[in-house]
Amino acid sequence: MDINTIRKDFPILNQKVHGNPLIYLDTSATSQSPVQVVDAMSEYYNEYNSNVHRGVHTLGTKATDGYEQARMKVRGFINALRYEEIVFTRGTTAAINLVARSFGEANISEGDEIVVTEMEHHANIVPWQELAKRKNAKLVFIPLEEDGTIKLENVEAVMTDKTKIVAVTHVSNVLGTINDIKSIAEIAHRHDAYITVDGAQSVPHMSVDVQDLDVDFYAFSGHKMLGPTGIGVLYGKAELLDKMEPIEYGGDMIDFVDLRESTWTDLPVKFEAGTPMIAEAIGLSAAIDYINDIGADEILRYEQELVKYAYDKMSEIEGIEIYGPKEERAGLITFNLDGVHPHDLATALDSDGIAVRAGHHCAQPLMKFLGVSSTARASFYLYNTKDEIDFFIDSLKRTKEFFTHEF
Ligand code: PMP
């Protein structure tokens, strides 16, 4: 991995913020896109902007090819068996809502149990809460260990003959915990339950093989993996998607429409009513090419190097609390500095040109578990460097000194 070459592909990183070079440590919220992604999208708009699956004219055919090739690209990227198993959505949130509204609606009955963890992003809690309310079902939580991990024996312990769905994140956007999805899927299936996985923080940073994991549903977003906003993916096993009802109706998703009755077209377009995100799918496809060119394993190795480097240096700062496991963590670090509110900290870092996230990170139940109302988070990707981390640590120390200095 040649970091200098990589950084040239991200012109956005080459700017000053408040007079300092930008250090972008907020990839977990949204990653930056390389020129290859932006170029692929502008090429679409400049050369073949057209609707898909409709006309027979040249531009329309080219747009349809681009859109469907993007689907094939995603299929290969996560090793889904069939391209019909790849549904384009607005993002992870929309994908999880689709599963809850369609699969959940048909498969959850009164008294059934839906198992989630306390580390979930709101996107993987609230749709299940609402489903549980509609169906008079029960949400059951896998408890967290002190270090922010979950134990497989506790997954096993919460399963009952009423468990129908296990909804769990692959990587926590707060703790950096990497959950053992393959084992959790095996436990779920042994109890005749289905597993749906929030992959928003995993797919961008490690190779994911949905067949090897044997998951039933898997959701992720383009904008966290070098791609554009407004597009994400729901992977679902074909035999499950096939039986599911659409949650949106209209153009493209129909087979035959009469005045009072209609039928639906085949997978996956059955779930993609209306004009889809064409430029965004083409951008996502270019993002996958970019990741594949470097190699997902190489990206993971580099990020692990960065996060270890940052973790060791941050741990030395007096009064810092770092959340989540010390070992085997993804490339993000959530923390608090004694005596400095995370929002003040993020503002001070911003004045040094450093972008970090502060707040509850859309995980309020987890904040409650940690006993805080908010935290700060630095997250890393293939375009960050150790020099940037050094500058970040230095800025953290100066900020702490400023806020806790007794005048
Ligand atoms: N799950 C996790 C773990 C996330 O980090 C995020 C984004 N912060 C989401 C779900 C939601 O993703 P999106 O906003 O792209 O739908």
Side-chain angles (χ1 to χ4, degrees), residues 182-229:
K182 193 171 175 170
S183 300
I184 299 172
E186 188 276 318
I187 295 171
H189 290 147
R190 193 157 24 81
H191 289 83
D192 288 331
Y194 295 93
I195 177 163
T196 163
V197 178
D198 174 349
Q201 299 292 348
S202 47
V203 171
H205 305 278
M206 58 184 70
S207 58
V208 167
D209 179 332
V210 289
Q211 290 188 73
D212 179 55
L213 295 174
D214 193 19
V215 289
D216 298 303
F217 299 101
Y218 199 99
F220 56 99
S221 299
H223 70 99
K224 294 186 199 280
M225 52 183 291
L226 309 179
T229 54

Side-chain angles (χ1 to χ4, degrees), residues 11 29 31 62 179-180 190 225 258 265 279 284 294 385 394:
S31 62
K62 205 169 167 201
N179 287 318
D180 179 356
R190 193 157 24 81
M225 52 183 291
D258 203 350
T265 191
L284 176 61
I294 296 170
T385 66
D394 187 53

